């Protein structure tokens, strides 16, 4: 396995968290807890921070090979749902005229190519995507600033404690479950590595909360609930002197990159676990076999979001109750 | 060989999923500028203003369609011209009172669910869409509404998303009203919309007061006073609506503040009696005291009182920066 650097892990985790938040959808949170979603996110981030500090400092132990088999069906469900949502996102926002199967096949082949090159390729790509994402975010923030109306964010406490608690729990699940992938990185984290992970966590959640505030200030609660992708709808308002406009497809690239990385790292993990269990010698065969399974699974079965949340729960439990470096 | 195969495969990937297969030439698109929708006897009637480029000039063309649904009517327009209707550049959607009161939801959802629609167009009301049959009259109508709003303050642009937001949140909105006078389309105030019913037509000074309280005054003229700019803030505290108006006039007159205050109070009382929150104080109450608003959603309008403070300043240099007193 390739060695990856501490900051690369942080960058990858940023995209994984952002992608999971995007897949669940801001409007799913707001339909539950309204404007108090922001409160739920802040509280969820704080609780997640303490949970992360606690789990990063725990002792190591090795998990038996047989128990890895349990993870595989959950990972298959998890990745099928992500593939389904990614292709739906592409057909809704970018190319509505291309068939699902063609897009899914193209996407899977791209992921297979990336995974075959190794974990190092995925993490290096993540760093490049981070620079792209920051650049695009800065442009959109500057151009959208005149359109922000922060009175749309108020009143903040417009939901009951139970509704806020529900959103908080799901946000926590989405925030901490990506750290499950720490289990697949070969070496143990040193103190410096742990510090970088924690810093990465803080920056990720500052970004997510800030982005949510921007979306609220531009669209307001009612339009967030109405649009299937409110995160993308705000890009339609980006306009500068009638020269820079109609560029929402380009700006939505940040979300596509996050989805790609989420799927790629999950695919890598699943492939790695499968090879430990199934005796397939040739890597190309196992990669294409796995891609085919996911292709047919995502196309044939319409998985509900609740099943996806259960898979996140399994990831979270695995992270909380096992070692950080399972696979040697 | 392996590398060649990979290269060919990647080239195929480049072209296939990016939508090149279904590319439509610009010449095969009909760019729609305005759409007018009427609903009579279970039939949608649509008049679309299309933009055409002939040599160096842009010309307008009118096309009509009818159908039992909007999709059918739009499809009939498409069939006639044999080109794809492209609504991404839509500037103005005009609806008649029948269309608003009977089919507003289906009309709004048509544009919401259409992936080409950018939802950045404005919406207006017109008594009759036959005035849109003259292509010359339809040029830059949305800009006309904007000019009346900014220069006179006697109208207010209503954007599609603002209309949606208002209807979802407050079940109340407004639409600028277009009418035909001597072969020209003019903007005549606004119509108030409540629970998909047109309830009141505001014109002249009433619209100016409406705009004052919605902080939407750019320049206007109020009782002989030229207002160059205005800022209105509304806060709620202990069942009192505190309104602070800061106006910059060309010439400070003593009666401006008193007359404006009296007019606002009178207009509020008139609509308070009709139980219409004309100035949208609900928004200020929600932000100021959400718990009170939640418990008094149906009665707050009768319980609140106004506290108005108006400050003025004179800008003797007039609009163009010329000092008329030199």
């Amino acid at each position: 396995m390739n060695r990856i650097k501490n900051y690369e892990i942080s960058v990858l985790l940023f995209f994984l968290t952002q992608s999971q938040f995007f897949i669940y959808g801001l409007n799913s949170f707001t339909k539950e807890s309204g404007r108090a979603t922001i409160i739920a996110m802040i509280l969820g981030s704080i609780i997640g921070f303490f949970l992360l500090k606690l789990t990063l400092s725990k002792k190591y132990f090795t998990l038996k090979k047989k128990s890895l088999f349990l993870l595989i069906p959950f990972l298959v469900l998890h990745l099928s749902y992500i593939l389904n949502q990614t292709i739906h996102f592409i057909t809704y926002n970018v190319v509505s005229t291309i068939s699902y199967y063609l897009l899914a096949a193209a996407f899977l082949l791209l992921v297979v190519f990336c995974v075959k090159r190794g974990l190092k390729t995925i993490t290096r790509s993540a760093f490049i995507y981070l620079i792209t994402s920051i650049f695009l975010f800065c442009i959109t923030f500057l151009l959208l600033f005149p359109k922000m109306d922060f009175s749309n964010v108020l009143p903040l406490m417009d939901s009951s404690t139970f509704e806020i608690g529900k959103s908080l729990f799901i946000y926590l699940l989405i925030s901490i479950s990506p750290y499950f992938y720490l289990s697949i990185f070969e070496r143990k984290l040193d103190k410096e590595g742990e510090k970088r992970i924690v810093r990465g966590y803080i920056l990720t959640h500052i970004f997510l909360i800030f982005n949510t505030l921007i979306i609220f200030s531009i669209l307001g609660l009612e339009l967030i609930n109405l649009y299937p992708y409110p995160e993308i709808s705000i890009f339609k308002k980006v306009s500068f002197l009638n020269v820079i406009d109609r560029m929402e497809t380009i700006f939505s690239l940040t979300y596509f990159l996050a989805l790609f990385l989420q799927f790629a790292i999950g695919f890598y993990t699943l492939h790695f676990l499968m090879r430990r269990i199934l005796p397939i010698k040739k890597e190309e065969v196992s990669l294409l076999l796995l891609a085919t399974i996911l292709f047919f699974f995502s196309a044939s079965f319409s998985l509900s979001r609740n099943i996806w949340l259960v898979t996140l729960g399994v990831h979270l439990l695995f992270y909380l109750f096992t070692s950080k470096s399972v696979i040697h | 060989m392996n590398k060649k195969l990979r290269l060919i495969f990647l080239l195929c990937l480049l072209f296939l999923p990016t939508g090149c297969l279904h590319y439509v030439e610009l010449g095969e698109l009909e760019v729609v500028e305005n759409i007018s929708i009427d609903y009579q006897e279970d039939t949608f009637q649509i008049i679309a203003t299309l933009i055409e480029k002939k040599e160096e000039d842009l010309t307008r063309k009118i096309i009509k369609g009818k159908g039992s649904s909007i999709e059918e009517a739009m499809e009939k327009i498409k069939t006639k011209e044999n080109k794809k209707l492209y609504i991404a550049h839509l500037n103005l959607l005009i609806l008649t009172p029948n269309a608003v009161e009977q089919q507003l939801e289906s009309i709004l959802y048509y544009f919401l669910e259409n992936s080409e629609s950018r939802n950045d167009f404005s919406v207006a009301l017109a008594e009759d869409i036959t005035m849109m049959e003259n292509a010359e009259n339809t040029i830059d109508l949305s800009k006309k509404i904007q000019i009346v709003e900014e220069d006179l303050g006697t109208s207010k642009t209503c954007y599609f998303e603002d209309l949606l937001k208002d209807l979802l949140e407050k079940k109340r909105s407004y639409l600028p009203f277009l009418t035909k006078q001597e072969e020209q389309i003019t903007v005549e105030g606004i119509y108030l919309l409540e629970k998909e019913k047109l309830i009141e037509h505001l014109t002249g000074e009433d619209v100016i007061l409406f705009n004052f309280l919605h902080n939407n005054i750019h320049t206007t003229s109020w009782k002989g006073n030229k207002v160059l700019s205005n800022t209105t803030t509304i806060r709620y505290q202990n069942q009192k609506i505190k309104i602070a108006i800061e106006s910059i006039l060309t010439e400070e007159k003593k009666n401006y503040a008193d007359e404006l205050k009296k007019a606002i109070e009178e207009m509020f009382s008139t609509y308070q009696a009709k139980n219409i929150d004309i100035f949208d104080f609900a928004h200020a109450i929600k932000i100021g005291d959400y718990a009170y608003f939640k418990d008094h959603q149906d009665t707050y309008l009768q319980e609140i009182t106004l506290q108005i403070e108006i400050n003025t300043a004179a800008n003797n240099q007039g609009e163009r920066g010329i000092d008329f007193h030199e």
Side-chain angles (χ1 to χ4, degrees):
Chain A
M1 252 207 267
N2 300 310
R3 287 178 67 88
I4 59 171
K5 297 191 175 108
N6 292 326
Y7 75 88
E8 286 172 339
I9 299 173
S10 294
V11 168
L12 201 58
L13 288 167
F14 162 74
F15 280 110
L16 293 179
T17 314
Q18 187 192 22
S19 157
Q20 288 194 171
F21 186 78
F22 180 71
I23 290 170
Y24 187 73
L26 175 61
N27 49 7
S28 304
F29 280 107
T30 54
K31 278 170 188 167
E32 198 62 54
S33 54
R35 292 177 189 86
T37 300
I38 295 166
I39 306 282
M41 286 174 75
I42 293 170
L43 291 173
S45 308
I46 294 169
I47 295 170
F49 172 78
F50 288 110
L51 205 62
L52 191 66
K53 288 279 272 179
L54 204 69
T55 49
L56 281 176
S57 60
K58 63 183 164 73
K59 291 176 187 176
Y60 290 89
F61 63 91
T62 310
L63 203 66
K64 287 183 182 171
K65 213 186 261 183
K66 282 182 187 171
S67 51
L68 294 177
F69 184 72
L70 291 168
L71 271 177
I72 290 174
F74 290 105
L75 272 170
V76 169
L77 287 172
H78 175 69
L79 290 174
S80 302
Y81 186 79
I82 292 173
L83 179 62
N84 192 282
Q85 293 299 303
T86 305
I87 303 305
H88 181 263
F89 165 66
I90 296 170
T91 49
Y92 188 87
N93 286 296
V94 185
V95 273
S96 54
T97 52
I98 303 290
S99 91
Y100 175 94
Y101 303 106
L102 196 57
L103 280 170
F107 184 78
L108 277 164
L109 285 166
L110 202 60
V111 168
V112 162
F113 177 76
C114 205
V115 165
K116 192 174 180 310
R117 299 295 295 265
L119 194 58
K120 192 71 180 170
T121 306
I122 299 171
T123 52
R124 273 189 181 158
S125 308
F127 187 70
I128 296 166
Y129 298 160
L130 181 71
I131 296 167
T132 316
S133 297
I134 291 171
F135 175 68
L136 289 173
F137 177 76
C138 290
I139 294 178
T140 52
F141 176 72
L142 284 168
L143 295 177
L144 286 174
F145 189 76
K147 296 184 169 53
M148 292 182 200
D149 176 11
F150 287 98
S151 70
N152 283 336
V153 181
L154 301 169
L156 268 178
M157 292 297 293
D158 62 346
S159 299
S160 67
T161 317
F162 174 74
E163 285 158 348
I164 297 171
K166 206 171 159 187
S167 290
L168 192 155
F169 174 75
I170 293 172
Y171 186 75
L172 200 59
L173 190 64
I174 283 169
S175 312
I176 301 295
S177 58
Y179 290 81
F180 150 80
Y181 293 107
L182 283 176
S183 306
I184 66 154
F185 303 139
E186 188 181 50
R187 60 190 171 86
K188 295 171 188 176
L189 286 171
D190 53 13
K191 282 286 172 192
E192 186 55 39
E194 285 178 11
K195 273 186 192 169
R196 281 182 186 256
I197 299 279
V198 170
R199 264 183 242 152
Y201 175 89
I202 294 168
L203 289 171
T204 301
H205 288 276
I206 288 173
F207 170 79
L208 281 175
I209 293 166
F210 188 60
N211 200 34
T212 304
L213 276 168
I214 292 171
I215 297 169
F216 258 108
S217 67
I218 291 169
L219 291 180
L221 178 65
E222 291 73 30
L223 290 180
I224 290 174
N225 287 340
L226 199 60
Y227 286 128
Y229 294 102
E231 300 91 340
I232 307 302
S233 298
I234 60 165
F235 295 144
K236 287 187 179 179
K237 296 178 186 300
V238 173
S239 175
F240 180 67
L241 299 176
N242 287 327
V243 174
I244 301 176
D245 65 358
R246 301 173 190 277
M247 293 182 68
E248 57 270 13
T249 311
I250 294 175
F251 292 127
S252 61
L253 195 64
T254 39
Y255 293 108
F256 175 74
L257 295 174
L259 289 166
F260 173 78
L261 283 169
Q262 162 92 55
F263 192 83
I265 202 74
F267 191 93
Y268 178 89
T269 309
L270 184 58
H271 178 249
F272 196 79
L273 291 174
M274 268 180 67
R275 289 202 79 192
R276 293 283 163 139
I277 293 160
L278 298 172
I280 300 171
K281 283 185 183 171
K282 272 197 170 179
E283 196 185 10
E284 289 87 353
V285 172
S286 57
L287 282 170
L288 286 171
L289 177 68
L290 185 55
T292 312
I293 292 169
L294 289 172
F295 176 82
F296 282 110
F297 212 86
S298 72
S300 313
F301 302 102
S302 64
L303 296 165
S304 81
R305 196 177 54 208
N306 291 334
I307 294 176
W308 178 66
L309 289 174
V310 167
T311 64
L312 291 189
V314 168
H315 291 170
L316 179 63
L317 287 170
F318 188 83
Y319 170 67
L320 291 176
F321 295 109
T322 61
S323 78
K324 281 177 276 186
S325 188
V326 165
I327 304 148
H328 299 284
Chain B
M1 189 59 188
N2 214 4
K3 276 189 181 171
K4 277 185 190 168
L5 265 175
R6 265 193 261 170
L7 192 63
I8 293 166
F9 181 70
L10 281 170
L11 280 170
C12 290
L13 271 185
L14 261 178
F15 286 108
L16 291 176
T18 56
C20 296
L21 278 176
H22 301 274
Y23 171 69
V24 180
E25 273 289 329
L26 195 59
E28 288 168 26
L29 289 176
E30 290 282 16
V31 179
V32 181
E33 190 185 31
N34 304 323
I35 291 177
S36 309
I37 302 177
D38 190 9
Y39 186 71
Q40 299 282 356
E41 293 164 1
D42 299 336
T43 309
F44 282 93
Q45 294 170 39
I46 294 181
I47 297 176
T49 309
L50 310 174
I51 301 176
E52 269 189 328
K53 191 168 181 195
K54 279 189 178 162
E55 289 167 2
E56 292 302 316
D57 296 323
L58 286 176
T59 58
R60 267 87 177 164
K61 187 171 72 173
I62 302 295
I63 197 113
K64 299 183 208 177
K66 269 188 190 178
S68 55
S69 68
I70 300 176
E71 291 80 6
E72 196 185 315
M74 294 292 274
E75 198 60 36
K76 283 193 176 154
I77 295 178
K78 200 169 87 173
T79 313
K80 271 187 209 174
E81 291 297 302
N82 212 30
K83 288 184 186 181
K84 182 177 169 1
L85 277 183
Y86 190 60
I87 64 169
H89 289 275
L90 184 65
N91 274 342
L92 182 63
L93 172 68
I94 298 163
L95 306 173
T96 58
N98 267 352
V100 167
E101 291 184 342
Q102 294 177 44
Q103 294 291 336
L104 186 62
E105 200 177 308
S106 60
I107 294 168
L108 295 177
Y109 270 102
Y110 172 78
F111 291 98
L112 210 52
E113 287 167 357
N114 191 319
S115 57
E116 273 180 2
S117 170
R118 300 181 58 75
N119 301 337
D120 59 355
F121 52 88
S122 50
V123 187
L125 186 75
E127 193 61 44
D128 183 7
I129 61 169
T130 53
M131 67 170 104
M132 301 299 290
E133 285 173 359
N134 183 345
E136 293 300 311
N137 285 343
T138 66
I139 296 172
D140 291 335
L141 265 181
S142 58
K143 275 195 188 147
K144 209 180 229 178
I145 299 171
Q146 220 173 332
I147 289 166
V148 169
E149 178 189 5
E150 289 175 7
D151 288 357
L152 301 174
T154 53
S155 187
K156 194 174 189 300
T157 311
C158 176
Y159 290 100
F160 179 77
E161 279 191 352
D162 293 335
L163 177 66
L164 272 176
K165 223 189 314 198
D166 287 344
L167 291 175
L168 286 168
E169 189 187 352
K170 302 177 268 199
K171 309 260 186 286
R172 183 189 328 118
S173 191
Y174 60 89
L175 291 169
F177 185 59
L178 302 175
T179 187
K180 196 172 177 182
Q181 279 182 6
E182 295 169 6
E183 301 304 311
Q184 289 290 319
I185 297 177
T186 57
V187 185
E188 284 291 315
I190 58 173
Y191 250 99
L192 294 180
L193 183 65
E194 180 130 353
K195 291 177 187 168
E196 295 183 24
K197 291 283 170 214
L198 296 165
I199 52 167
E200 201 86 18
H201 182 203
L202 300 181
T203 54
E205 285 183 355
D206 286 346
V207 186
I208 294 173
L209 285 173
F210 180 89
N211 278 330
F212 261 114
L213 274 285
H214 282 82
N215 197 25
N216 193 45
I217 291 288
H218 303 266
T219 60
T220 188
S221 186
W222 171 259
K223 302 260 190 234
N225 298 285
K226 180 78 181 172
V227 181
L228 297 176
S229 70
N230 182 80
T231 311
T232 305
T233 48
I234 300 176
R235 288 184 303 114
Y236 169 80
Q237 198 174 20
N238 297 330
Q239 292 188 332
K240 266 203 175 80
I241 296 288
K242 296 183 179 180
I243 302 166
I245 295 175
E246 311 263 341
S247 303
I248 295 179
L249 314 173
T250 49
E251 197 185 319
E252 207 164 345
K253 285 184 182 169
K254 281 182 188 170
N255 61 350
Y256 171 81
D258 293 333
E259 282 183 4
L260 184 58
K261 186 177 172 180
K262 193 180 166 192
I264 291 170
E265 283 167 348
E266 270 174 17
M267 192 170 174
F268 173 68
S269 301
T270 308
Y271 286 96
Q272 190 183 34
K274 296 179 191 177
N275 207 30
I276 298 172
D277 186 2
I278 186 104
F279 297 132
D280 192 26
F281 292 138
H283 182 67
I285 298 170
K286 248 201 220 177
I287 293 173
D289 190 345
Y290 183 68
Y292 169 82
F293 177 78
K294 218 171 153 186
D295 295 333
H296 294 82
Q297 272 187 63
D298 298 324
T299 58
Y300 72 88
L301 196 61
Q302 309 304 325
E303 293 166 11
I304 54 172
T305 54
L306 305 188
Q307 187 179 309
I308 305 169
E309 192 187 309
I310 300 172
N311 292 315
T312 56
N315 178 2
N316 291 325
Q317 295 199 356
E319 288 174 72
R320 294 173 191 262
I322 300 165
D323 190 347
F324 291 106
H325 295 281
E326 278 185 348

